[in-house]
Amino acid sequence: MGARVPHVRVENLRVLVPSKGGDIAIIDNISFAIGRGEVLALIGESGSGKSTTALAVMGWCRHGSRIGGGQIFVGETEISALSEAELRPIRGRRIAYIAQSAAAAFNPSRTIIDQVVEPALIHGLMSRQQAENKAVSLFRALSLPMAESIGNRYPHQVSGGQLQRLMAAMALITEPELVILDEPTTALDVTTQVEVLKCFKAALAQAGASAIYVSHDLAVVAQMADRIAVLKQGTLREEGPAAQVLENPRDAYTSSLLSAVRPAPVAAKAPCDAAPLLAIRGLVAGYGALRDGVPSVPVLRDISLELQRGGTLGIIGESGSGKSTLARVIAGLLPAAQGQVLLDGTPLPPAVAGRSRAQLRQIQMVFQNADTALNPAHSVAGILGRPLEFYHGLKGDAATCRIAELMELIRLPRDLIHRPVRELSGGQKQRVNLARALAAQPQVLLCDEVTSALDTVVGAAIMRLIDDLRRELGIATVFISHDIHAVSAFCEDVLVLYGGAPVEMASREVFNGASHHPYTRLLLSSLPAMDPAWLGRVQPPVPTCAAAQCADLCRFVQRCPVAVPGLCDRVAPPVHAIPGQRWLCHFAPTSVTERDQA
Amino acid sequence: MSGGAGPAQGGLAGLAPMLARRLASSAVTLVLVTLVIFALANLLPGDAAQEMLGQSATPEQVAALRHQMGLDRPAALRYVGWIAGLVHGDPGQSLVAGMPVREIIAERLPHSLMLAGLTTLVAVPLALIIGMGAAIHRGGWVDRALNIGTLSLVAIPEFLVATLGVLVFSVWLRWLPSIALVSAEATWGETLRSCALPILSLTVVVVAQMARMTRAAIVDQMDRPYVEMARLKGAGTARVVLRHILPNAIGPVVNAMALSLSYLLGGAIIVETIFNFPGLASLMVNAVTSRDMPLLQACAMIFCGAYLMLMLVADVVAIVANPRLRAQ
Amino acid sequence: MSAGAMRNAAAFVTGLPWAGRIGGGLVAFWLIVAVAGPWVAPHAVGAFVDSETFSPMSGRFWLGSDYLGRDVLSRLLSAARYTVFLGLGAALVACTIGTTLALTAALWSGWVDEVIARAMDTMNSIPSKILALVLVAAAGSSLPLLLVICAVTYVPGNFRIARALAMNLVGLDFVTVARARGESRRYIALHEVLPNMIHPLLADMGLRFVFIVLLLSGLSFLGLGVQPPYADLGSLVRENISGLTEGAPAIFAPALAIASLTVGANLLIDATKQEKA
């Protein structure tokens, strides 16, 4: 393969953005080549220019930017020398694009089939009838359900994972020679991602197309790419065969990316048998009017948990599992419909309005997105000063002094104190966000997806900082996250939520073992490994029960690979408990594992 | 989501409850508007009887007239009476003209409808062309020039537009009459000629606002990822605008049209007065000057009803045009 | 500090596109006229100084004479203050009331929001000129009443904008943080939400000012606004309407004066909006 002329050649590419003081290069001197049928991954953090580079290969520049140097060849064609009118016959025909969010990239007012066949019709490749037939066969190849009729729906009527595959059909209908995939699975849940990745890989292989795969996720890239190019701030740091980049990175930045993905586990505290600091008993919560103590839109069902003084609990689950809602209930933002939240043995009033300032001070929440959690109209001093004044009555010099201490604690320079928060970087904002919670001197810290809005390396630093501080200050911490690696590295106990039900609760030692609730097993098996062969090995589970969803039954029954018809779709699952583990299933974890293997 | 949500759900059957809800909401608002109008019009104690008889009238004469006009009844009763009358198409007796309000309005309303209709015919296509032209050339000199032009136009008082129109077309060029005479005997040609200046003035007044909102609605769609996707499929500008953007912009654009047309109702007041046009708006001004409350209330209700009707139509169009709302 | 403020103001002006600078210049000009107008007027406001009526522009009467032979320039200089100050006052009152209601509705939510929003919705369903006419018919048109009428007419419009702004902000996490901390609604409204609304609210107040000046001039033009012996710019247009057939400057000067004020304000507002975008 190496001796042949590469299919795609990018040489010394520069992309410029005009600004007042002259043009700024957002892509500077990037070169790479892709052989025919190869997949090149462009990886990097936000602002690295990975999407900009990929789109430049289509001759497309966003937001007033332009190609300001270098050459791009696709086959014999020099893309960088073509006018907009000359590019049109190439886009969607020879080079196709798959966008990050299919939900946004499909036109909401037109049917799916209309949009899937559109590239073929624009380029006059076939009649509408032929195009529709081809689309249906692509739907089948991408294992979409109801391939004949799914195209007649509107985009909002199908799920995110299906929509992403439908977009792949739209890209492949013209049999392009090059496909550009721009973070195509980032918006999906981890269990959905596996199926979509499998489909993409098979479809690309079958079409024989070359591909550029843009992603920030190294493990995903490991499954898809033949070669990997690592980008940082518009420059190329490293480019080479996937296995080499992943196993023997030559660039220090690549190494830091790799190590940030799998944080090393931190030492656990010696277990203590003292009374729990925070306890939750039989919690039911949701939205809407109550009927018989159950909200019309229930989110959490029958949650019980305990958290020791200075302990750490991780809560994991997919979007919609109710994990953030649980934090809101603990903080009193959403009053529970049933059950209790106890702090130090005392039941807390369900709503913020009923709690005393002393009670409110004890539980502090750190929100996911520091961009919206910090008021842009305030300065750092204003944001940190308010809880000091509100909870501790500190004003003037005493407050200034304490603010300086807090800045030291979160390792930010003091001269940032009087800056408006909108001038801080993402990582700095998240530190201020954390410092505000610490200013109250709480006993319980609720961390709601505190790293998901940050780049991997910055996020890893924030997690280490939180871990250091909670040890130093003896604060009990709840980490809410969809990142199972982070949770199992930092937390002594792990709670898994599915559909608002606590399907499994385990200590870290047990959680890192093999016996799990079927849902946890699915979740764990869906996590891409760095091993490129992983995608070939993993088998998405085949559901065994076509039960209707019902409030009392197991929430997972529709997707469960081991559910037994007649039992799981009839009877509510009991709670099993052994030391260090509790789960909600008809079967013991061991027997589930055996059944699965049989 | 994936279960039974077939294409059939996109049909019109699912629309009925939503439309019914929208209609009911309009009806509630209309009732509340009658309350506000009635309350405001009957705000002050100084009443029509005193006004009609003048300062020299004895208290007995005033009391007698008050009784005769029903003004001595409690406000709630008078409100109920007024509403009952409105429902039966009888909004009462004009205090000044001494004839039924219905007859006065019946004479004026067709003129106003004609003026509004003709203005709409001119203004809507013009606004669509300007708005879409500006949106397509976003950021270019055409867009910037149109922005400054429409921005200035929306802030110019109607009487300046109308008086300049008279100065240029009637006084200097002598092409068009400065008074709009409308009579039943006139031919369509004559009517159009005599209404040309009022129509021109009203068009200038509404077209700028309409074009700006049309541009905003289209530009709002232009940055969506699906537009970029369409371009990356190889679609040209015409296809992107007509097949991709317009279906999504119809709701907001129709809303913009409705809002601007409702502005016609207010703008017509000045224009009708300047050209002595025998429409509803100038009638309402006369009612204010002579404090003829029954007439004033009826006129106000017609304008408010027209506004609510326009908004209702705009919302219905938006619902029907949007598959998301349709399938809810 | 004041030097810094001056620098900021200078930076603001030089940052504006040319249309915005023209607009700002026009607005500043009319503000100065509104304050200083009567002192620089060449003739007394009510004095009959010309034997001719509707005379054209001349060296003695820069803007000609009006229907009674008075100096148009002098009348215009004194009328501007009624237009400008009634407009500013009414815009300020309208936005204060509208924004207060909006913050109340956004933070108290539930039935309070329902009631306020329904009431404002109803008021919004009455076209502003129609509402103003009904109010004038019911209450009359003394200067203070005109201010109140113009303000009331534009409260619902400001409410709608302010409520949308406040609703967006109330949904953001920093408000949730404040609620979780145990802050009162009043504190949240004034310290967390309001500071983030100031810029768009100022722009909206500018727009209300334009609308109110147009409404007030329209009312005066119809003879329902500012009543003699006072006269605003709209009244000047009305009293000289008979000069239309002669193309007298007495009718066009005040009309153009209004247009230059409102167009200027509109250009300035648009420029400041683009500045932030």
Side-chain angles (χ1 to χ4, degrees):
Chain A
M1 195 178 276
R4 289 211 317 242
V5 179
H7 180 203
V8 177
R9 270 188 302 140
V10 172
E11 283 164 10
N12 307 320
L13 176 67
R14 274 166 72 84
V15 176
L16 304 177
V17 179
S19 82
K20 274 183 185 161
D23 291 343
I24 298 172
I26 50 170
I27 297 296
D28 203 3
N29 201 25
I30 286 185
S31 305
F32 55 80
I34 309 170
R36 200 165 282 275
E38 267 189 347
V39 178
L40 171 84
L42 293 177
I43 66 166
E45 307 192 313
S46 55
S48 63
K50 52 193 192 298
S51 292
T52 311
T53 306
L55 285 167
V57 175
M58 299 185 86
W60 180 258
C61 293
R62 281 180 178 158
H63 312 303
S65 61
R66 65 193 155 82
I67 295 177
Q71 289 172 305
I72 300 165
F73 290 93
V74 173
E76 298 294 300
T77 316
E78 186 182 350
I79 297 288
S80 44
L82 298 182
S83 71
E84 194 64 23
E86 291 165 321
L87 283 166
R88 212 179 299 148
I90 295 174
R91 289 182 188 148
R93 169 71 191 88
R94 290 178 55 199
I95 312 176
Y97 179 69
I98 297 179
Q100 170 165 4
S101 166
F106 269 102
N107 189 329
S109 302
R110 302 178 62 197
T111 58
I112 288 166
I113 191 77
D114 238 18
Q115 304 181 56
V116 170
V117 300
E118 195 176 8
L121 301 184
I122 289 175
H123 299 289
L125 299 177
M126 48 191 114
S127 72
R128 169 132 196 150
Q129 191 53 49
Q130 287 170 318
E132 284 189 12
N133 293 343
K134 172 137 196 195
V136 170
S137 63
L138 277 168
F139 293 165
R140 283 211 187 87
L142 289 160
S143 29
L144 280 157
M146 292 175 282
E148 300 284 346
S149 64
I150 194 167
N152 297 329
R153 299 193 189 164
Y154 285 95
H156 70 276
Q157 292 171 320
V158 303
S159 73
Q162 290 170 349
L163 215 47
Q164 211 70 38
R165 280 180 275 168
L166 289 161
M167 189 155 55
M170 182 160 81
L172 297 172
I173 195 161
T174 55
E175 297 176 9
E177 56 190 273
L178 175 66
V179 181
I180 290 170
L181 301 99
D182 191 354
E183 302 249 17
T185 62
T186 305
L188 303 177
D189 271 324
V190 62
T191 50
T192 321
Q193 172 174 277
V194 180
E195 297 169 42
V196 174
L197 283 178
K198 271 182 173 287
C199 286
F200 280 0
K201 190 161 191 175
L204 282 177
Q206 204 202 344
S210 313
I212 296 178
Y213 194 100
V214 177
S215 180
H216 69 282
D217 189 331
L218 283 158
V220 165
V221 161
Q223 312 309 316
M224 301 297 291
D226 301 306
R227 299 182 71 84
I228 294 178
V230 182
L231 271 59
K232 189 185 183 199
Q233 289 169 351
T235 58
L236 185 68
R237 301 301 292 252
E238 168 162 19
E239 199 263 348
Q244 176 256 306
V245 173
L246 292 173
E247 282 158 31
N248 298 305
R250 278 176 302 205
D251 188 81
Y253 176 67
T254 315
S255 314
S256 75
L257 275 182
L258 282 163
S259 61
V261 175
R262 300 276 187 277
V266 299
K269 210 176 56 142
C272 63
D273 295 326
L277 173 64
L278 180 77
I280 292 175
R281 307 236 186 280
L283 194 78
V284 175
Y287 300 90
L290 293 181
R291 189 184 297 169
D292 304 329
V294 180
S296 57
V297 185
V299 179
L300 295 171
R301 312 146 193 277
D302 199 17
I303 309 264
S304 297
L305 58 85
E306 289 180 352
L307 179 63
Q308 303 296 328
R309 208 169 286 274
T312 43
L313 170 70
I315 301 175
I316 55 181
E318 290 172 295
S319 52
S321 63
K323 53 191 193 302
S324 290
T325 306
L326 181 52
R328 293 172 65 85
V329 173
I330 297 174
L333 289 167
L334 178 70
Q338 291 175 36
Q340 279 183 324
V341 178
L342 298 102
L343 185 72
D344 247 345
T346 318
L348 289 176
V352 167
R355 297 185 185 179
S356 70
R357 265 187 206 197
Q359 286 172 327
L360 290 167
R361 182 180 75 77
Q362 301 292 351
I363 301 178
Q364 289 292 312
M365 193 158 163
V366 185
F367 281 73
Q368 170 174 0
N369 191 342
D371 283 326
T372 59
L374 301 181
N375 192 330
H378 294 175
S379 68
V380 173
I383 281 175
L384 298 183
R386 182 62 191 170
L388 294 176
E389 184 190 341
F390 189 80
Y391 290 127
H392 303 290
L394 287 186
K395 279 184 189 172
D397 287 347
T400 314
C401 220
R402 180 83 183 111
I403 291 172
E405 277 173 39
L406 285 166
M407 292 297 275
E408 208 157 292
L409 216 52
I410 53 167
R411 292 159 211 168
L412 282 186
R414 270 190 208 188
D415 51 338
L416 292 182
I417 286 181
H418 296 291
R419 292 271 189 87
V421 288
R422 58 174 181 274
E423 291 178 9
L424 305 185
S425 73
Q428 288 173 333
K429 281 183 196 166
Q430 195 57 288
R431 282 167 196 256
V432 173
N433 195 14
L434 173 64
R436 171 173 54 191
L438 296 177
Q441 295 181 309
Q443 295 202 32
V444 179
L445 195 62
L446 304 172
C447 298
D448 185 5
E449 300 264 19
V450 284
T451 62
S452 65
L454 301 173
D455 282 324
T456 327
V457 177
V458 181
I462 292 280
M463 281 304 278
R464 277 196 304 277
L465 176 66
I466 295 178
D467 192 63
D468 287 351
L469 291 177
R470 67 151 195 94
R471 281 161 196 282
E472 200 178 314
L473 306 171
I475 304 171
T477 311
V478 178
F479 287 103
I480 290 159
S481 180
H482 65 278
D483 182 348
I484 299 170
H485 296 299
V487 163
S488 58
F490 286 101
C491 300
E492 291 151 19
D493 293 295
V494 180
L495 171 68
V496 182
L497 287 181
Y498 183 82
V503 293
E504 181 172 343
M505 172 98 179
S507 68
R508 181 162 64 189
E509 291 70 36
V510 180
F511 191 79
N512 288 338
S515 58
H516 288 295
H517 184 277
Y519 171 66
T520 315
R521 283 163 43 71
L522 170 64
L523 205 55
L524 291 171
S525 69
S526 303
L527 289 179
M530 282 295 178
D531 171 13
W534 169 81
L535 190 62
R537 279 201 313 272
V538 61
Q539 288 298 325
V542 183
T544 52
C545 251
Q549 201 107 80
C550 168
D552 297 330
L553 297 177
C554 174
R555 305 289 298 164
F556 188 56
V557 64
Q558 283 176 318
R559 293 173 67 192
C560 186
V562 296
V564 173
L567 176 65
C568 294
D569 57 357
R570 292 270 167 76
V571 186
V575 179
H576 292 267
I578 55 169
Q581 195 175 22
R582 215 168 54 187
W583 68 96
L584 199 63
C585 186
H586 286 285
F587 306 104
T590 45
S591 66
V592 168
T593 314
E594 281 156 13
R595 281 172 52 86
D596 204 23
Q597 277 161 358
Chain B
M1 217 188 300
S2 51
Q9 273 207 352
L12 294 180
L15 278 180
M18 180 172 288
L19 295 183
R21 224 175 307 138
R22 184 61 191 76
L23 203 63
S25 163
S26 286
V28 171
T29 309
L30 190 63
V31 171
L32 290 174
V33 167
T34 62
L35 261 174
V36 173
I37 297 281
F38 183 84
L40 289 179
N42 294 272
L43 196 65
L44 289 195
D47 66 42
Q50 183 76 58
E51 196 101 330
M52 286 173 77
L53 294 170
Q55 291 301 320
S56 56
T58 63
E60 290 76 29
Q61 284 173 309
V62 174
L65 187 60
R66 278 175 65 87
H67 182 73
Q68 191 194 330
M69 291 165 67
L71 291 176
D72 51 352
R73 290 182 301 155
L77 271 182
R78 280 186 287 145
Y79 173 71
V80 171
W82 179 56
I83 288 290
L86 274 187
V87 170
H88 293 103
D90 173 25
Q93 194 82 5
S94 163
L95 300 182
V96 177
M99 45 196 289
V101 168
R102 186 175 50 176
E103 282 176 28
I104 303 176
I105 287 179
E107 190 190 321
R108 297 286 193 111
L109 186 60
H111 299 157
S112 277
L113 288 178
M114 179 192 70
L115 188 60
L118 289 174
T119 307
T120 308
L121 281 183
V122 180
V124 168
L126 200 59
L128 279 177
I129 291 168
I130 296 175
M132 283 171 67
I136 290 171
H137 298 107
R138 178 167 52 148
W141 66 268
V142 173
D143 183 29
R144 274 179 296 178
L146 284 174
N147 178 40
I148 304 249
T150 52
L151 199 58
S152 305
L153 225 45
V154 290
I156 287 179
E158 293 105 353
F159 50 75
L160 178 60
V161 176
T163 48
L164 278 178
V166 170
L167 186 69
V168 173
F169 294 103
S170 306
V171 179
W172 290 349
L173 299 174
R174 298 183 184 279
W175 286 355
L176 298 166
S178 64
I179 302 282
L181 293 169
V182 182
S183 68
E185 296 91 60
T187 64
W188 267 100
E190 284 166 346
T191 311
L192 270 184
R193 202 173 107 80
S194 82
C195 290
L197 271 180
I199 292 172
L200 183 76
S201 309
L202 282 177
T203 302
V204 171
V205 167
V206 296
V207 97
Q209 185 67 20
M210 232 186 244
R212 289 185 72 78
M213 291 169 81
T214 304
R215 177 193 178 276
I218 293 176
V219 162
D220 177 53
Q221 296 292 324
M222 283 169 82
D223 286 331
R224 305 282 170 104
Y226 74 80
V227 175
E228 179 177 66
M229 189 73 220
R231 291 230 177 245
L232 292 177
K233 285 198 252 183
T237 304
R239 190 181 183 97
V240 168
V241 171
L242 296 176
R243 303 286 288 273
H244 285 272
I245 293 180
L246 266 194
N248 290 291
I250 281 180
V253 167
V254 171
N255 194 42
M257 297 291 153
L259 267 178
S260 306
L261 289 179
S262 79
Y263 186 78
L264 260 186
L265 310 174
I269 292 176
I270 306 273
V271 172
E272 286 190 6
T273 307
I274 287 184
F275 294 101
N276 275 328
F277 184 85
L280 210 54
S282 52
L283 180 68
M284 184 163 171
V285 174
N286 296 341
V288 175
T289 320
S290 58
R291 300 202 63 211
D292 188 346
M293 287 307 175
L295 184 57
L296 179 74
Q297 284 167 229
C299 290
M301 282 317 299
I302 291 177
F303 285 121
C304 295
Y307 172 86
L308 285 171
M309 187 80 86
L310 279 169
M311 290 299 123
L312 182 66
V313 170
D315 278 8
V316 168
V317 170
I319 291 171
V320 172
N322 186 340
R324 239 170 223 277
L325 295 178
R326 225 167 23 199
Q328 250 176 17
Chain C
M1 198 61 207
S2 71
M6 290 284 280
R7 254 200 314 278
N8 282 348
F12 173 76
V13 172
T14 51
L16 288 176
W18 61 268
R21 282 191 231 175
I22 292 175
L26 285 171
V27 171
F29 171 75
W30 284 112
L31 283 177
I32 293 168
V33 167
V35 175
W39 285 293
V40 297
H43 300 276
V45 177
F48 306 103
V49 287
D50 193 0
S51 53
E52 268 184 77
T53 58
F54 294 129
S55 64
M57 292 191 257
S58 64
R60 185 153 172 253
F61 305 111
W62 289 6
L63 296 175
S65 65
D66 77 351
Y67 75 115
L68 292 175
R70 294 173 295 191
D71 177 36
V72 172
L73 177 63
S74 304
R75 290 192 59 76
L76 194 146
L77 286 174
S78 79
R81 62 171 38 190
Y82 294 99
T83 302
V84 170
F85 287 127
L86 275 178
L88 277 181
L92 194 65
V93 172
C95 292
T96 309
I97 298 175
T99 305
T100 308
L101 286 174
L103 284 172
T104 311
L107 280 152
W108 269 258
S109 60
W111 66 267
V112 177
D113 180 30
E114 199 103 328
V115 168
I116 296 178
R118 205 25 137 168
M120 288 295 135
D121 213 30
T122 306
M123 297 288 279
N124 248 331
S125 308
I126 308 175
S128 47
K129 283 209 178 68
I130 307 297
L131 180 59
L133 284 185
V134 174
L135 284 169
V136 167
S141 48
S142 67
L143 288 179
L145 272 174
L146 275 177
L147 189 138
V148 172
I149 287 170
C150 289
V152 166
T153 306
Y154 283 104
V155 163
N158 175 262
F159 170 83
R160 185 145 71 174
I161 302 285
R163 180 168 177 274
L165 285 169
M167 280 299 189
N168 278 341
L169 289 166
V170 165
L172 291 182
D173 286 344
F174 62 77
V175 171
T176 316
V177 170
R179 285 206 297 134
R181 196 190 301 140
E183 300 283 8
S184 66
R185 285 174 176 149
R186 206 184 130 81
Y187 175 91
I188 294 177
L190 296 180
H191 294 265
E192 302 283 352
V193 178
L194 188 58
N196 289 295
M197 297 165 61
I198 292 294
H199 279 284
L201 275 182
L202 281 179
D204 187 62
M205 195 160 102
L207 276 185
R208 302 289 146 208
F209 170 73
V210 171
F211 293 155
I212 288 170
V213 166
L214 291 175
L215 174 70
L216 194 65
S217 311
L219 286 177
S220 293
F221 175 78
L222 295 171
L224 302 170
V226 176
Q227 301 294 328
Y230 310 109
D232 69 347
L233 294 171
S235 318
L236 296 192
V237 181
R238 175 186 172 79
E239 61 189 27
N240 292 306
I241 192 77
S242 56
L244 179 56
T245 47
E246 302 170 41
I251 170 169
F252 290 103
L256 286 171
I258 298 168
S260 67
L261 170 64
T262 50
V263 169
N266 233 3
L267 291 176
L268 178 65
I269 297 161
D270 187 65
T272 55
K273 272 185 191 161
Q274 285 174 358
E275 195 64 359
K276 282 195 296 294

